[in-house]
Amino acid sequence: QVQLVESGGGLVQPGGSLTLSCAASGTISSINAMAWYRQAPGKQRELVASAMSPGRTNYADSVKGRFTISRDNAKNTVYLQMNSLRPADTAVYYCNANLRDFRTMSAQTYWGQGTQVTVSS
């Protein structure tokens, strides 16, 4: 069994910053990749940023230069540092991890519960 626990969402003013965290716990053998997705009102869920092994990252064009994804492999945690936030960044942000559960030894994708980020004055 694996759980992803997210934290750090909230209300922030335009131009402000916010950092999201997601910690994976449970019967983890290895983590192949971790990522952040978001879903804004009226839109599909989209990939925001991903961090793959070994150390490869990619970003959606809309967040390049503003957001940074990072991983702490020792803690099975992924972070999303968000700077210069805009109202268009308002969305529910979801943590995602592709990993192996040592009970099954099969790679699977897991999702966090989602955390609301609201950018507004």
Side-chain angles (χ1 to χ4, degrees), residues 50-115:
S50 64
M52 299 171 286
S53 299
R56 294 171 294 169
T57 62
N58 69 341
Y59 298 89
D61 288 342
S62 60
V63 308
K64 285 181 179 177
R66 300 189 298 120
F67 291 10
T68 302
I69 188 170
S70 61
R71 288 173 60 179
D72 184 336
N73 292 327
K75 297 182 178 180
N76 292 331
T77 299
V78 64
Y79 305 91
L80 185 68
Q81 182 178 335
M82 304 183 292
N83 299 322
S84 302
L85 284 161
R86 309 163 180 168
D89 295 318
T90 296
V92 178
Y93 285 71
Y94 296 91
C95 178
N96 173 276
N98 182 266
L99 55 81
R100 289 187 184 274
D101 183 331
F102 72 70
R103 292 184 178 272
T104 66
M105 296 306 294
S106 179
Q108 298 183 66
T109 298
Y110 297 84
W111 291 92
Q113 79 283 358
T115 184

Side-chain angles (χ1 to χ4, degrees), residues 6-11 17-22 36 82 115-117:
E6 304 170 6
S7 63
L11 175 65
S17 298
L18 204 61
T19 300
L20 306 181
S21 300
C22 173
W36 289 96
M82 304 183 292
T115 184
Q116 177 71 46
V117 173

Side-chain angles (χ1 to χ4, degrees), residues 6-34:
E6 304 170 6
S7 63
L11 175 65
V12 64
Q13 295 183 354
S17 298
L18 204 61
T19 300
L20 306 181
S21 300
C22 173
S25 63
T27 54
I28 299 169
S29 177
S30 61
I31 297 178
N32 299 314
M34 301 188 81

